[in-house]
Amino acid sequence: MNANTLTERYVHEVVRRIPADQRDDVAEELRAVIADTVEARGATEREVVTEMGDPIRLAARYADRPLALIGPGLYPAYVRTLKVLLGGVLPVVVAASMAVEVLNGGGVASAIGTGIGALLTVGAQMIAWLTGVFAVVERSRSLDRLFRGTQSWTPDDLPDAPRSAEASRGVLASAALSTALLALIIWQHVAEPYDADGDRMPVLDPALWSGWIWPILAGLAGTALCELVRVAVHRWTVPLAAVYAAAEAVFAFSLIWVLHRQALFNPDFLATVNDGKGWTVPDSLYISTILVVLAVSVSEVVGCFRQARN
Amino acid sequence: MSAEELVRAQAQELRRGTVVLACLALLREPQYGYALLETLNDAGVSVDGNTLYPLLRRLEKQGLLTSEWNTDESRPRKFYRVSPEGSRVRAGLVDEWRDLVASISRLTEEKP
C-alpha cells in the first residue's frame, strides 16, 4: 500500500491520537470506510477526507475524550483560582519586587521596569502552572476519581457553605505563599539583589544550588501543586494528603538540615551585613527556626489528614 | 436566528439520541460501517460518518454490539451486529420511545 496517499496520511493523523491497543483496528476500519465512500459516491479521496473532518476531532470521538482543555466540571474552580492568583497574589509580588528595587536605590524607572518584568514572568508562570494542573486533572479520569475519593456525587459531599469557601481561600493563600517563597528564592539567586557598595550578591548561599536547594524547591513546588489540586477537587482526600505530606517532608527536612549546618545564608552576605559590628547569627536563632519549621509542617500535614478523614 | 434555523438546531438536538436506537434496530442483520450509514440516511435518520463510526465502536465497547472482520471480499470490512445485551437495551429504548411519543402527542394535541 502506498504510504503517502491522502487516506494513509489522514488515518495516521487520527490513530496516533488514540490508545495504542485500538490503533490497528481503527486504522483498518477507517481505510475501508474511506474506500467504500469513495467507491459508492464516485467522490474523490479529498472530498471524503474533508467530510470526515479534523483528525483531532475524530480521534477525540474514538477515544471518547473531551475536546476541551478544562471542562465544565472544573471550570468554576479554575476561574476562581485564577482570579485569586492574578487579582490577589500577583499585585503583592509585583509591589514587593518594586519595593525591593527602590530600597536598593534603583530609582523609579528601574523599579517600574522590575515591576513590569515581574508582572509578565510571574503572571505567565501562574497561568501556565494553574492551567497545566487543571488540564491534567481533567484528562486523567482515574486521577480525578482517586482525588475525589468517590465516583458519584451525593448530597453528603456538600461542604458547609461558608466554612468551605474560607477553607478554599486558606488553601489558596497557602499555595500562593509557597509559590511566592519559591519565586523569592529563585529571584534572590538570579537577580542578586543585595547591593554592597556596587558588589551585588545573593542572600542565600550560592553553594546550595549544587545541593540542598533542589529538594527544598521541589518540596515547595509539590506542596503548591497539591494545594491547587485540593482547590480543583474541593476537598482533601487521603491519597492527596499523603502526596502533600511527602512533599512537605522533603521540603521541611531539607530546610532543617541546611539550617542545622548553618549553611543557609551566603557567607559573603553575612560578612557584609556584620561588617565591623562583631555580631554573628546566634545558634539559638537557628534552633528556634528549625523548631518553627518543624511545628508548621507537622500541623499543616495533620490538618490535611484530619480534613481528608472527615 | 430565524424560526427555520431555530427549528433546525432544535431538531438536531431531538435527533441526537435516536441514532443509537436506529443502529440497534438496523444491526439485527450484520452490516459494515458505510452501508449502515447509507441505510440510516435513506431511512431518514441523518448522521455523519465521523459521528457514526466512533459511535459504533463505543456501543461495541459497551457490549451492545459485536463485530467481526469479513475478509471474503476485495476489501476487509468490519461487520457489526447486535449482541443479546444490545437486544435487551433496544427493547427498553423502544418502550422509552413509545412513552415519549405518547407524552409529546398528548402535550401538543390541538385543543378544540
Side-chain angles (χ1 to χ4, degrees):
Chain A
M1 191 174 294
N2 182 354
N4 205 29
T5 60
L6 214 48
T7 304
E8 281 310 309
R9 282 159 59 198
Y10 185 79
V11 167
H12 178 72
E13 275 300 287
V14 174
V15 297
R16 74 189 183 86
R17 296 188 164 84
I18 65 177
D21 56 331
Q22 301 168 28
R23 266 178 214 158
D24 290 346
D25 205 55
V26 169
E28 200 60 33
E29 191 177 11
L30 272 177
R31 280 186 204 113
V33 153
I34 292 171
D36 280 338
T37 313
V38 167
E39 197 175 277
R41 295 201 192 146
T44 63
E45 220 179 344
R46 190 182 185 84
E47 287 164 344
V48 175
V49 166
T50 307
E51 203 185 298
M52 294 292 280
D54 194 324
I56 294 181
R57 188 180 294 271
L58 186 60
R61 284 180 180 165
Y62 271 116
D64 214 4
R65 208 174 28 217
L67 263 176
L69 195 58
I70 292 160
L74 291 178
Y75 183 74
Y78 173 74
V79 170
R80 208 180 309 128
T81 314
L82 195 61
K83 264 187 200 157
V84 172
L85 283 180
L86 295 186
V89 181
L90 186 57
V92 174
V93 174
V94 170
S97 70
M98 290 173 77
V100 169
E101 188 64 27
V102 170
L103 286 179
N104 276 328
V108 176
S110 133
I112 292 176
T114 308
I116 293 175
L119 184 75
L120 294 180
T121 51
V122 179
Q125 290 280 337
M126 283 175 173
I127 296 172
W129 282 102
L130 183 73
T131 308
V133 169
F134 273 77
V136 168
V137 174
E138 173 75 50
R139 235 126 286 267
S140 141
R141 271 169 222 170
S142 52
L143 187 73
D144 192 47
R145 225 173 278 144
L146 175 75
F147 282 134
R148 275 173 211 272
T150 50
Q151 232 171 307
S152 56
W153 183 89
T154 76
D156 298 334
D157 295 338
L158 279 177
D160 301 334
R163 261 187 50 212
S164 138
E166 274 166 29
S168 256
R169 268 201 292 278
V171 175
L172 272 184
S174 175
L177 202 66
S178 303
T179 315
L181 192 56
L182 193 77
L184 203 62
I185 291 175
I186 295 173
W187 171 76
Q188 66 80 31
H189 182 69
V190 175
E192 305 193 331
Y194 189 76
D195 195 343
D197 302 328
D199 192 12
R200 296 176 72 95
M201 59 181 74
V203 176
L204 301 185
D205 192 347
L208 286 172
W209 290 83
S210 49
W212 285 101
I213 203 72
W214 298 110
I216 293 178
L217 292 179
L220 271 178
T223 55
L225 286 179
C226 285
E227 282 159 344
L228 286 183
V229 172
R230 146 71 182 80
V231 172
V233 303
H234 299 301
R235 51 183 284 245
W236 285 105
T237 60
V238 174
L240 184 57
V243 176
Y244 178 84
E248 184 76 37
V250 168
F251 164 71
F253 288 127
S254 312
L255 183 58
I256 286 171
W257 177 247
V258 169
L259 285 169
H260 169 68
R261 288 182 28 203
Q262 309 199 346
L264 181 64
F265 291 107
N266 185 356
D268 292 343
F269 165 74
L270 286 183
T272 323
V273 171
N274 299 335
D275 192 21
K277 298 188 195 102
W279 188 82
T280 50
V281 184
D283 287 355
S284 60
L285 191 64
Y286 279 109
I287 292 169
S288 53
T289 312
I290 288 175
L291 291 178
V292 168
V293 169
L294 204 57
V296 169
S297 301
V298 169
S299 79
E300 291 268 339
V301 169
V302 168
C304 294
F305 275 106
R306 190 174 291 157
Q307 287 183 38
R309 302 241 158 183
N310 282 345
Chain B
M1 238 194 250
S2 72
E4 286 111 66
E5 280 171 326
L6 284 170
V7 167
R8 219 174 298 136
Q10 287 300 322
Q12 209 180 352
E13 292 289 317
L14 282 179
R15 286 164 182 273
R16 191 158 290 161
T18 60
V19 177
V20 170
L21 179 51
C23 286
L24 291 178
L26 277 173
L27 289 174
R28 276 177 281 199
E29 299 297 323
Q31 188 77 278
Y32 62 92
Y34 181 74
L36 179 66
L37 184 81
E38 288 290 274
T39 317
L40 281 171
N41 283 328
D42 290 346
V45 181
S46 61
V47 57
D48 289 327
N50 54 21
T51 305
L52 180 68
Y53 305 135
L55 174 72
L56 291 173
R57 293 190 74 90
R58 204 176 72 223
L59 294 177
E60 186 190 6
K61 211 162 126 192
Q62 291 172 343
L64 306 184
L65 299 179
T66 56
S67 72
E68 210 176 326
W69 282 95
N70 180 326
T71 47
D72 296 346
E73 302 198 26
S74 61
R75 185 176 298 136
R77 287 174 177 138
K78 198 175 185 185
F79 278 71
Y80 293 92
R81 70 180 303 165
V82 173
S83 70
E85 175 73 2
S87 300
R88 280 192 290 277
V89 169
R90 181 186 62 225
L93 284 178
V94 168
D95 288 344
E96 289 289 330
W97 175 255
R98 295 224 170 95
D99 288 351
L100 206 58
V101 170
S103 312
I104 296 294
S105 337
R106 270 199 306 281
L107 286 174
T108 53
E109 232 168 44
E110 298 288 337
K111 297 272 157 51

